[in-house]
Amino acid sequence: MDWLTILLYVILLAIGWMSICGACYDYGETPNLFALSTRSGMQIVWIGTSMLLGAVILLLDDRIYDTFAYIIFALLLALLIATPFLAHDIKGSHSWIKIGPFSLQSAEFAKFATALAIAKFMSSYGFQLQGSWRNFLICCAFIFTPMVLIIMQKETGSALVYFSFFLMLYREGMPGSILFAGIAAVAYVVVGLRYADQQVLGDTTSLGTLLVLAIIHVFVAALLIVYTSPKTSDIQRLGEQRTAAVAFRQTMTATLLLTPLAAATIMGADYVMAHIADISPATQAFAQKNFGTDILPFDAALPLTVVLVALALRLIWIGFASHIYRYAYIALFALGSMAVFFSAHTMLDHLAEHQRTRVQVLLGLKDDPKGAGYNVIQAQIAIGSGGLEGKGFLNGTQTKLKYVPEQETDFIFCTVGEEQGFIGSAAVLGLFLLLLLRLIHLAERQTTDFGRIYIYCVFSIFLFHVVINVGMVLGLMPVIGIPLPFFSYGGSSLWGFTILLFIALRIDAARPMK
Amino acid sequence: MAAKEPQLDYRKYVLAAAATAVIAVYVLRLFTLQLTSDDYKLRADSNALMKRIQFPARGAITDRNGELLVYNQPAYDIMVVMNEATDIDTLDLCESLGIDRQWFDRRMAEIKNTRGYSRHTQQLFMSQLSVEEFSNFQEKLFRFPGFYIQKRSIRQYTSPHAGHILGDIGEVSPADIEDDPYYQSGDYIGKQGVERSYEQQLRGIKGSEILLRDVKGRIKGRYQDGRFDQQPIPGKNLTLSIDLNLQKLGERLMHGKLGSIVAIEPATGEVLCMVSSPTFDPRTMVGRQRGRQHKALAADPMKPLINRSIAGLYPPGSTFKTSQALTFLQEGIITPDTRFPCSHGFHFRGLKVGCHGHGSPWPLVPSIGTSCNAYFCWGLYHMFGNREHYHSTQEAMTRWKDYMVSMGFGYKLGVDLPGEKRGLIPNAEFYDKAYRGSWSGLTVISISIGQGEVLLTPLQIANLGATIANRGWFITPHVVKEIQDTPLDTLYTHRRYTMASAANYEVVVQGMRQAVTGGTCRSANTTMYEVCGKTGTAQNRGHDHSVFMGFAPMHNPKIAVAVYVENGGWGATFGVPIGALIMEQYINGHLTEASQAKAETIENKVIAYGTYDR
């Protein structure tokens, strides 16, 4: 039994409960933190039942998870399908099933079921992830099926959590390039939209487009350098094609690095010209000219795009001619990157209104304290006002006086920041990091693939929740409504996280010793 | 079972490094948010902390005998919180407050249209309810959820008297706020009288309590149980030197007349009464009606808002002769035995200053007693023409001016009331300019009898009386006798000596005594005490002003008084009897029956003033 993890679990629950007290305690009332009419009181019920649940899981035979993984998964899928029909409409979401006085969120329980099922599938005899697109796609099916069902419940935040399974897949052999491509795509969208409305070079060019194209250039150049170093096998395989490929590789890399440099130079010159008017009459006359309209009277993104497309086509040709297909893959990456980016605006239009606003607020496109950015700003004020040592238990003013919305659930970390200060909140982050690293350690010491894969799923899910939730509160991530494990108020999420963790502990406890 | 691929082992480090890196970035972000800037803390404070000012009680004001003149009365504002006041019996509420339904509806609509309106916070529903109205309502308050009481205080005046001295308070002007950051919009500040001149002492020091305000603007309690709250420090009480009964009598006597009475206790410089007529009732200058009332008073052609005692500039007339006698004696121009001829006036080189018929030539004392114009004209002529003492007329003039200034003329005396005027004592440059250097004692001869360019305030005339009573010194007149727990300004405790000696003052006292016993002020004579006095009949564009300056008793004087009745005719007509009554009231504490009758007669005498510009 891994008592360290259980200790971390209990500590996090305790601090979490204190934060709930801070968040729901109302000034002017005698604080009765244990009354069931208050959220702090109810959270005690949830904590108690969670611990009970954890104990039950530890007492059960470890083999049932392996054995019944698919059945559990199927049951949960059925529940997810049924949920929108059974659920009440809570803030536009159809994910809550009412059972007696309690409401349960089926999405929270689908995570461990998915983890079990995918672990069972990937640990089946002869399973190979590397080099098997079929297996990879089946894994994707395991991930995307519950995800789609949850999106149908209008719980986009919970659905996005399923992307975290790709971290586990990466550990299990999924090509790093897929992960890289995914992260790159997110970077394009974020950077592109963040600076989309900023014009440079005399209003001809969008800064966002220019920046993203430059990033693609650099990425492609980096991929070329890393993945196309001439190997002896290539040299043997190729005749004169090799010489051409290697020569082109160098030209290409140089071009790819030079074009963004050129763009940066032009922008720099443009900026300088806009600021030299005051120096002397000569510079003033020169500054009358505008780089964008007089010297570069077209969209500066255009030449970068042309260069990139031309080079990509040439790369594909060389790749096929020389049978070094890596060239073609890199070209595909380049073209795919552009495709992803240029459809970003369209993608944004297809998001729900509040999600679009959330993305825009996060990227700083909307700066309106009383509008959609209000949550984020108030959250940062609350945290920032905590200082080094915080205001003390139940002494936070921002959270107590309801300036931060959703403060018991998604924005619970504000209370930690305000009441416990830098010391407390950094310590909480440290505890989470400790838990995550401990999970990696537990996963790596498993002797079964099932155990390792499952625990990596748990690690990935926790990592995603912590990174997104805390990042959101700190204003570094989009406002995606997902709970902070063990902190956010609510029975479903706490039970969900407890089940995830304790199954991992049960599996770990029963690992066959070599 | 698939074996773990050993070549993928490095990926566990990638994942661990990624998790560590993200957490590190977040800790860094926490660091910048929480430790590098106070900005967030300040914003949190301005969000959640509300500083509520607690107003101190303004100091009370009493007269010299402890009679309460000004105090604070509790008044009650009724506040309403709209979203709590949803379920009330409107009819019952209207009945309890004595308002009708229409007023209620209109007021509620008004509240909703006010700037900064919030349905979660207290809004002013009705202001300044009296204690009776309030106690009536308070019994039923529990029936009206959402209605609250807020205690305030308003200034109350016990009597209609002494409006000019007491002054009033009103909301601060933007200029006041700019001058003193202590004030905030909506605060009250003294506007006139001692309310203004002792504003610093009366106002006290505001306190504050820091309250917690939630996102909807509701007050949720005290910040840290009031650890940072500051109790207000109440204002200091003032004891005026004014005798309310004397003031009352003065205001009665000045009824229907324009002018001023100022009485001073010579030994202390305390002003015993300061009447400026017409006056106003300070009780009308309170609360919401103040603005309207002030406007009406400001528009009155008789200018009741002006305190004539300190801001009225008048020719002192013959009362000024006392100061001339002192100057000439001190400068050695005359001795008490010096005689000057008077043949119905001063006749010299075609210049004539008239005088009434009396024996001639007389020495100084009877000349003061009969108020001989010629005597003082000769005196000035000899002084200004004296080339043994002075090289030039200018030098003589300067010397003369120095005497006048030493007696408190020509500059503000420094009374503790706002709006004092300095009067006018001409100097050599003044005449050099006016006559282009070509002038002599004869040119300016009328200044010797308190006419011409010389202008004094009634306070300066009264102070002249006090100086003579003291035989050569005075303490700057002041209306505040005591400030609670605070010493008076040394200006009001130190003697200021004039340039004339006590011996010379004694001569003038003799003259003033003779004026009462056998001269112009005979009607002021009484067997109760020895009165000294000097009349004045000041010529001006209209009918002569009636002036009196005197003090009593002659030895160990208790009161010096100046009376100035505009267009009142001879000094003996109004000045002398009014001055006599004031002295009697103060010295005896009451009037005899005969005096009562006299007072009534004077009170009922009304002088018809034209509407010409004054």
Side-chain angles (χ1 to χ4, degrees):
Chain A
M1 181 56 56
D2 188 51
W3 291 105
L4 177 64
T5 308
I6 292 179
L7 182 69
L8 286 172
Y9 170 78
V10 172
I11 294 175
L12 286 170
L13 275 184
I15 304 176
W17 180 73
M18 279 170 63
S19 308
I20 300 264
C21 293
C24 68
Y25 163 65
D26 201 3
Y27 267 105
E29 288 166 19
T30 329
N32 187 351
L33 300 170
F34 302 97
L36 288 185
S37 57
T38 65
R39 290 205 150 184
S40 52
M42 275 310 288
Q43 186 73 359
I44 290 187
V45 175
W46 299 128
I47 289 173
T49 50
S50 291
M51 287 181 161
L52 214 64
L53 201 60
V56 169
I57 289 168
L58 291 180
L59 291 175
L60 288 176
D61 192 311
D62 67 291
R63 280 167 301 185
I64 61 166
Y65 307 115
D66 196 343
T67 315
F68 295 111
Y70 289 146
I71 294 169
I72 296 172
F73 186 55
L75 283 174
L76 258 300
L77 282 185
L79 188 62
L80 283 180
I81 292 168
T83 301
F85 302 100
L86 302 171
H88 298 271
D89 189 333
I90 298 175
K91 285 195 241 164
S93 152
H94 294 269
S95 58
W96 298 85
I97 305 173
K98 240 178 140 55
I99 304 167
F102 303 115
S103 293
L104 287 182
Q105 208 172 10
S106 53
E108 293 297 337
F109 301 98
K111 282 177 232 171
F112 88 90
T114 310
L116 284 176
I118 202 168
K120 180 166 174 88
F121 173 71
M122 288 175 65
S123 59
S124 55
Y125 182 76
F127 176 88
Q128 194 73 36
L129 188 59
Q130 276 176 302
S132 170
W133 283 104
R134 186 179 159 275
N135 280 345
F136 178 68
L137 289 176
I138 292 173
C139 286
C140 287
F142 272 107
I143 296 165
F144 288 125
T145 310
M147 195 168 163
V148 168
L149 289 174
I150 293 170
I151 287 175
M152 282 164 65
Q153 298 177 2
K154 304 232 184 337
E155 277 292 322
T156 326
S158 298
L160 291 175
V161 174
Y162 286 79
F163 277 120
S164 61
F165 283 102
F166 284 93
L167 283 178
M168 178 275 292
L169 288 180
Y170 168 72
R171 173 63 187 93
E172 291 304 314
M174 180 184 76
S177 52
I178 294 180
L179 206 60
F180 176 72
I183 293 169
V186 172
Y188 299 154
V189 174
V190 169
V191 173
L193 295 185
R194 171 73 176 80
Y195 298 103
D197 294 338
Q198 221 164 313
Q199 300 293 319
V200 288
L201 300 179
D203 298 341
T204 52
T205 309
S206 155
L207 178 61
T209 313
L210 207 60
L211 280 177
V212 170
L213 284 170
I215 292 172
I216 297 174
H217 277 232
V218 173
F219 276 173
V220 173
L223 288 174
L224 277 172
I225 292 166
V226 174
Y227 288 105
T228 61
S229 322
K231 294 174 184 168
T232 32
S233 61
D234 294 336
I235 297 164
Q236 282 167 358
R237 207 165 345 131
L238 297 167
E240 61 187 273
Q241 292 289 356
R242 173 205 156 262
T243 331
V246 171
F248 179 70
R249 172 181 171 273
Q250 280 158 357
T251 338
M252 171 112 187
T253 315
T255 320
L256 285 169
L257 290 176
L258 278 177
T259 38
L261 203 65
T265 314
I266 293 169
M267 281 168 61
D270 188 49
Y271 179 84
V272 169
M273 281 178 63
H275 290 82
I276 57 169
D278 307 331
I279 299 171
S280 77
T283 55
Q284 197 172 10
F286 186 61
Q288 296 297 323
K289 295 188 176 182
N290 188 304
F291 238 114
T293 45
D294 300 337
I295 300 168
L296 269 183
F298 54 85
D299 190 337
L302 207 62
L304 262 70
T305 315
V306 170
V307 167
L308 197 60
V309 171
L311 291 183
L313 293 177
R314 178 77 179 127
L315 260 184
I316 291 174
W317 168 252
I318 287 187
F320 279 98
S322 65
H323 298 282
I324 311 174
Y325 294 110
R326 284 192 292 268
Y327 282 101
Y329 290 142
I330 292 171
L332 281 177
F333 172 82
L335 295 175
S337 291
M338 283 194 289
V340 166
F341 170 65
F342 284 117
S343 56
H345 282 283
T346 335
M347 277 168 58
L348 197 70
D349 290 340
H350 284 248
L351 282 175
E353 176 67 35
H354 73 279
Q355 284 164 327
R356 185 161 64 233
T357 321
R358 282 174 173 187
V359 172
Q360 286 171 326
V361 165
L362 176 88
L363 300 179
L365 296 179
K366 283 195 175 175
D367 189 16
D368 173 17
K370 285 285 170 189
Y374 177 78
N375 293 11
V376 178
I377 289 170
Q378 289 296 336
Q380 285 173 52
I381 291 176
I383 291 178
S385 68
L388 179 65
E389 295 175 355
K391 299 176 183 172
F393 182 50
L394 299 185
N395 277 334
T397 55
Q398 291 304 284
T399 43
K400 227 63 68 261
L401 300 166
K402 317 291 179 218
Y403 283 93
V404 182
E406 310 278 350
Q407 52 185 332
E408 291 114 335
T409 54
D410 296 347
F411 282 85
I412 188 72
F413 195 67
C414 292
T415 316
V416 184
E418 189 180 18
E419 296 196 345
Q420 312 303 331
F422 176 74
I423 294 174
S425 39
V428 166
L429 287 182
L431 287 172
F432 272 119
L433 181 62
L434 213 57
L435 179 67
L436 290 167
L437 296 180
R438 186 69 189 170
L439 282 171
I440 291 180
H441 173 75
L442 292 185
E444 290 294 336
R445 78 181 183 189
Q446 297 309 304
T447 47
T448 64
D449 286 349
F450 176 77
R452 188 185 68 249
I453 292 167
Y454 177 79
I455 298 178
Y456 262 115
C457 287
V458 177
F459 162 80
S460 307
I461 290 166
F462 277 121
L463 179 65
F464 190 89
H465 271 275
V466 171
V467 167
I468 295 295
N469 180 285
V470 176
M472 156 185 94
V473 172
L474 292 177
L476 297 173
M477 288 279 168
V479 179
I480 296 170
I482 58 171
L484 184 62
F486 314 129
F487 277 71
S488 293
Y489 172 81
S492 300
S493 68
L494 189 51
W495 283 11
F497 289 125
T498 302
I499 294 170
L500 264 177
L501 188 67
F502 277 78
I503 290 178
L505 290 174
R506 183 71 193 91
I507 291 170
D508 175 64
R511 69 185 184 276
M513 295 299 169
K514 273 181 184 168
Chain B
M1 203 177 283
K4 208 161 80 176
E5 309 275 352
Q7 78 271 21
L8 294 177
D9 253 8
Y10 76 94
R11 290 192 171 181
K12 72 181 179 195
Y13 297 116
V14 173
L15 290 175
T20 311
V22 173
I23 297 293
V25 167
Y26 285 4
V27 170
L28 207 67
R29 172 72 170 168
L30 278 174
F31 183 85
T32 56
L33 279 180
Q34 297 185 307
L35 299 180
T36 56
S37 153
D38 266 350
D39 191 35
Y40 289 102
K41 180 143 185 52
L42 295 175
R43 285 177 72 177
D45 288 352
S46 76
N47 256 351
L49 302 185
M50 191 182 81
K51 199 170 164 186
R52 186 153 73 190
I53 302 296
Q54 289 189 304
F55 291 96
R58 203 173 165 84
I61 304 176
T62 55
D63 88 337
R64 68 185 292 115
N65 302 315
E67 189 87 24
L68 189 62
L69 296 175
V70 188
Y71 64 102
N72 301 306
Q73 194 181 47
Y76 299 88
D77 288 350
I78 294 183
M79 316 295 289
V80 62
V81 177
M82 286 297 189
N83 75 331
E84 292 173 26
T86 46
D87 187 29
I88 53 159
D89 185 344
T90 314
L91 273 181
D92 192 7
L93 179 83
C94 290
E95 209 171 289
S96 310
L97 285 170
I99 54 174
D100 60 22
R101 181 62 199 255
Q102 281 167 325
W103 194 93
F104 175 86
D105 290 338
R106 203 179 59 231
R107 183 69 199 135
M108 290 302 248
E110 275 170 19
I111 291 172
K112 285 175 186 165
N113 288 327
T114 8
R115 252 186 76 217
Y117 165 73
S118 159
R119 40 199 288 277
H120 303 281
T121 58
Q122 294 194 359
Q123 306 287 320
L124 180 67
F125 178 72
M126 257 177 107
S127 71
Q128 300 191 355
L129 262 70
S130 69
V131 182
E132 299 82 53
E133 289 170 308
F134 160 71
S135 58
N136 211 3
F137 179 70
Q138 194 185 25
E139 288 169 18
K140 298 184 185 170
L141 189 62
F142 71 94
R143 279 196 252 162
F144 311 118
F147 280 80
Y148 298 91
I149 301 290
Q150 185 178 302
K151 200 175 162 193
R152 294 192 49 172
S153 76
I154 48 174
R155 214 71 171 137
Q156 285 291 332
Y157 300 85
T158 55
S159 78
H161 306 293
H164 286 115
I165 303 162
L166 296 172
D168 58 3
I169 59 170
E171 275 190 38
V172 287
S173 66
D176 293 328
I177 298 174
E178 200 154 299
D179 287 351
D180 187 347
Y182 175 84
Y183 297 103
Q184 285 173 319
S185 179
D187 284 1
Y188 280 80
I189 189 174
K191 292 285 186 185
Q192 305 177 77
V194 292
E195 294 273 23
R196 180 163 196 93
S197 52
Y198 287 88
E199 166 69 14
Q200 297 265 348
Q201 289 83 354
L202 284 169
R203 73 184 180 192
I205 298 171
K206 283 190 266 191
S208 61
E209 52 181 359
I210 300 173
L211 300 171
L212 290 160
R213 173 176 57 187
D214 78 358
V215 67
K216 286 172 178 167
R218 291 175 297 209
I219 300 304
K220 305 299 280 188
R222 284 158 170 271
Y223 179 60
Q224 302 216 349
D225 290 323
R227 194 139 64 89
F228 299 105
D229 291 2
Q230 282 178 319
Q231 287 298 313
I233 297 170
K236 304 217 184 302
N237 297 330
L238 296 185
T239 305
L240 296 188
S241 58
I242 300 295
D243 181 317
L244 182 61
N245 290 327
L246 197 63
Q247 181 76 17
K248 249 188 229 174
L249 175 68
E251 289 182 20
R252 251 184 80 197
L253 296 174
M254 289 304 288
H255 169 77
K257 308 156 195 77
L258 300 183
S260 162
I261 303 172
V262 179
I264 297 174
E265 183 176 72
T268 58
E270 289 170 8
V271 175
L272 300 170
C273 81
M274 184 184 272
V275 178
S276 173
S277 181
T279 182
F280 57 87
D281 185 346
R283 294 176 301 184
T284 61
M285 304 289 271
V286 171
R288 282 177 293 179
Q289 54 183 349
R290 180 183 179 271
R292 199 160 21 92
Q293 181 68 15
H294 193 272
K295 221 171 165 182
L297 289 172
D300 190 326
M302 296 303 168
K303 309 224 163 121
L305 283 179
I306 290 177
N307 185 353
R308 287 169 158 79
S309 304
I310 56 171
L313 298 181
Y314 300 105
S318 301
T319 58
F320 199 59
K321 288 172 184 165
T322 52
S323 69
Q324 303 309 297
L326 289 163
T327 309
F328 305 152
L329 284 170
Q330 192 70 32
E331 284 296 283
I333 306 299
I334 58 169
T335 66
D337 299 325
T338 306
R339 291 164 188 255
F340 290 122
C342 175
S343 48
H344 288 280
F346 173 76
H347 302 274
F348 189 70
R349 295 186 190 162
L351 190 77
K352 180 181 185 293
V353 177
C355 191
H356 52 91
H358 57 79
S360 173
W362 273 356
L364 179 58
V365 170
S367 292
I368 295 174
T370 53
S371 196
C372 173
N373 283 343
Y375 193 96
F376 297 95
C377 290
W378 280 119
L380 192 80
Y381 172 74
H382 284 295
M383 178 177 174
F384 280 29
N386 190 324
R387 287 294 163 270
E388 285 165 30
H389 285 54
Y390 322 106
H391 296 298
S392 62
T393 313
Q394 276 80 357
E395 196 184 313
M397 179 82 210
T398 304
R399 188 73 180 155
W400 176 85
K401 182 216 70 182
D402 290 344
Y403 272 90
M404 296 303 110
V405 170
S406 81
M407 293 175 193
F409 308 144
Y411 291 93
K412 289 179 185 183
L413 271 170
V415 70
D416 49 353
L417 285 172
E420 190 191 2
K421 292 257 170 75
R422 59 187 285 192
L424 178 62
I425 293 296
N427 57 17
E429 292 82 55
F430 180 91
Y431 288 122
D432 281 345
K433 226 179 235 172
Y435 299 109
R436 303 186 183 188
S438 160
W439 58 279
S440 68
L442 283 178
T443 324
V444 301
I445 202 77
S446 54
I447 60 175
S448 65
I449 54 167
Q451 298 284 159
E453 287 73 24
V454 171
L455 293 173
L456 301 185
T457 64
L459 180 72
Q460 284 169 329
I461 300 173
N463 191 54
L464 173 63
T467 313
I468 298 168
N470 287 335
R471 276 65 165 177
W473 56 268
F474 65 95
I475 292 174
T476 307
H478 48 281
V479 297
V480 170
K481 185 179 160 71
E482 271 173 42
I483 309 166
Q484 184 189 2
D485 305 330
T486 313
L488 274 187
D489 193 321
T490 51
L491 178 65
Y492 304 126
T493 54
H494 284 218
R495 293 179 179 190
R496 286 159 69 177
Y497 284 87
T498 71
M499 287 164 68
S501 69
N504 289 332
Y505 269 98
E506 203 57 61
V507 178
V508 172
V509 171
Q510 294 298 333
M512 285 175 70
R513 178 65 190 150
Q514 208 173 88
V516 174
T517 53
T520 48
C521 313
R522 273 184 300 266
S523 67
N525 201 6
T526 166
T527 51
M528 297 181 282
Y529 41 80
E530 293 175 295
V531 176
C532 299
K534 182 77 201 76
T535 54
T537 307
Q539 291 165 8
N540 68 101
R541 283 180 301 178
H543 197 40
D544 291 349
H545 296 316
S546 173
V547 197
F548 173 75
M549 175 193 78
F551 60 90
M554 182 174 164
H555 302 290
N556 210 359
K558 283 185 177 161
I559 180 170
V561 65
V563 180
Y564 210 106
V565 180
E566 293 182 26
N567 311 119
W570 297 101
T573 317
F574 284 107
V576 177
I578 290 176
L581 287 167
I582 291 290
M583 288 188 277
E584 182 184 341
Q585 166 70 35
Y586 183 69
I587 292 171
N588 291 348
H590 60 87
L591 295 178
T592 60
E593 250 174 66
S595 297
Q596 289 277 17
K598 211 157 97 186
E600 203 157 315
T601 318
I602 293 173
E603 181 186 358
N604 291 332
K605 275 191 188 157
V606 173
I607 300 173
Y609 291 98
T611 49
Y612 60 82
D613 184 48
R614 38 185 82 241

